[in-house]
Amino acid sequence: MIGVASQHNSVAPVRLAPQLVVIDDCDEVSPAAAIYRVLTGRDAANARIDDDRDFDRHVLASILAVALTERGAVTERSGVAADDLVVLLGRWFPHIAKLFIPSIAGEPLDDDEAGMVRDLLLANRSSDGDIGRWLAAMVARRAMEPNHLWEDLGLRDRSELSRLLTRHFGPLALSNTGNMRWKRFFYRKLCEDDGIVMCSTPVCTHCGDFSRCFGDESGESRMADRRRTAALQAS
């Protein structure tokens, strides 16, 4: 059992078992926020993101925290294969890896749509090493969820998603000159690559769907939710 201090200095015990993450009577912090704190040792609101490595660690912790609070295997919810998750945890969160690794099993679902988004991201990688490959899989998988992409990645706002994409998938991010919503932009690029015209008009401002592509993306971070959930099935 791991004691996780809340904002009011109470302790929310988090138990990590092979198939269950349990947060006992945690009124002050969301399940995802509690797991983020276990991974990083701090609240998401106080995340260190000044340098690139700290930012990458924050992003990985945010995605994993959200994935671990949802029903289904963490491999399926995060989009990352079991072998890669073991390496990721050992490299970025070594202090806690041995508690999480026993719960890792299975492989991501073979989803054609997520695969197309992943391949689009991989074709536009701008960083070296495994992290770009992992993030391509993670972003693609989380893009299949219904909310704003930054929310389903567990990030704090859209600007963090833009920074992630600019850092690791620079050519793609820089081509979003109109600041289109990221999920809509991904699909527009996929359609363009296949020679399909997705838009009903040649000028965005004349389109009836303008607000769907460029509308407000405000919302509440998954790290900020207050929930009285006693048990969260992680796989």
Side-chain angles (χ1 to χ4, degrees):
M1 184 180 292
I2 300 171
V4 181
S6 77
Q7 293 176 344
H8 297 287
N9 297 320
S10 61
V11 174
V14 177
R15 289 194 293 271
L16 301 174
Q19 295 186 340
L20 192 65
V21 177
V22 179
I23 300 173
D24 293 336
D25 194 24
C26 183
D27 295 340
E28 301 297 333
V29 67
S30 74
I35 294 174
Y36 179 95
R37 195 181 298 163
V38 170
L39 287 168
T40 67
R42 62 178 56 243
D43 291 331
N46 300 318
R48 291 177 178 171
I49 61 171
D50 290 339
D51 67 52
D52 287 338
R53 180 173 175 80
D54 284 343
F55 177 71
D56 288 346
R57 189 168 186 263
H58 162 67
V59 168
L60 292 170
S62 298
I63 299 170
L64 289 175
V66 168
L68 282 163
T69 64
E70 296 177 346
R71 290 187 179 276
V74 65
T75 49
E76 193 280 318
R77 303 310 300 175
S78 69
V80 179
D83 288 347
D84 279 329
L85 270 179
V86 170
V87 175
L88 186 160
L89 287 166
R91 188 175 300 170
W92 289 89
F93 310 102
H95 65 292
I96 204 73
K98 66 175 64 176
L99 296 178
F100 278 95
I101 286 173
S103 69
I104 298 173
E107 299 299 322
L109 295 178
D110 186 14
D111 183 275
D112 289 342
E113 190 173 344
M116 289 189 293
V117 176
R118 182 192 64 234
D119 290 346
L120 174 68
L121 291 165
L122 288 174
N124 287 273
R125 282 184 62 181
S126 53
S127 60
D128 298 324
D130 290 326
I131 189 168
R133 180 170 56 84
W134 295 335
L135 285 172
M138 288 173 150
V139 170
R141 171 59 188 86
R142 301 308 298 176
M144 301 301 105
E145 297 301 309
N147 305 303
H148 295 314
L149 180 53
W150 68 264
E151 291 178 305
D152 284 322
L153 288 167
L155 301 177
R156 295 178 296 181
D157 53 43
R158 187 181 190 272
S159 69
E160 291 191 338
L161 172 57
S162 296
R163 179 177 173 182
L164 181 168
L165 295 171
T166 300
R167 169 162 163 69
H168 292 285
F169 311 101
L172 182 65
L174 293 174
S175 65
N176 187 8
T177 56
N179 201 30
M180 182 180 282
R181 290 183 180 184
W182 285 113
K183 277 201 284 192
R184 296 285 291 183
F185 181 71
F186 293 164
Y187 286 102
R188 182 175 183 174
K189 292 295 290 184
L190 288 171
C191 288
E192 288 176 352
D193 289 347
D194 286 339
I196 300 171
V197 178
M198 185 179 81
C199 302
S200 58
T201 64
V203 181
C204 289
T205 53
H206 296 169
C207 180
D209 288 332
F210 181 84
S211 62
R212 295 179 61 188
C213 294
F214 297 93
D216 178 62
E217 281 194 87
S218 61
E220 187 173 34
S221 171
R222 296 278 290 272
M223 299 299 169
D225 290 343
R226 300 292 190 266
R227 301 175 185 175
R228 289 178 174 271
T229 305
L232 298 169
Q233 191 72 33
S235 62

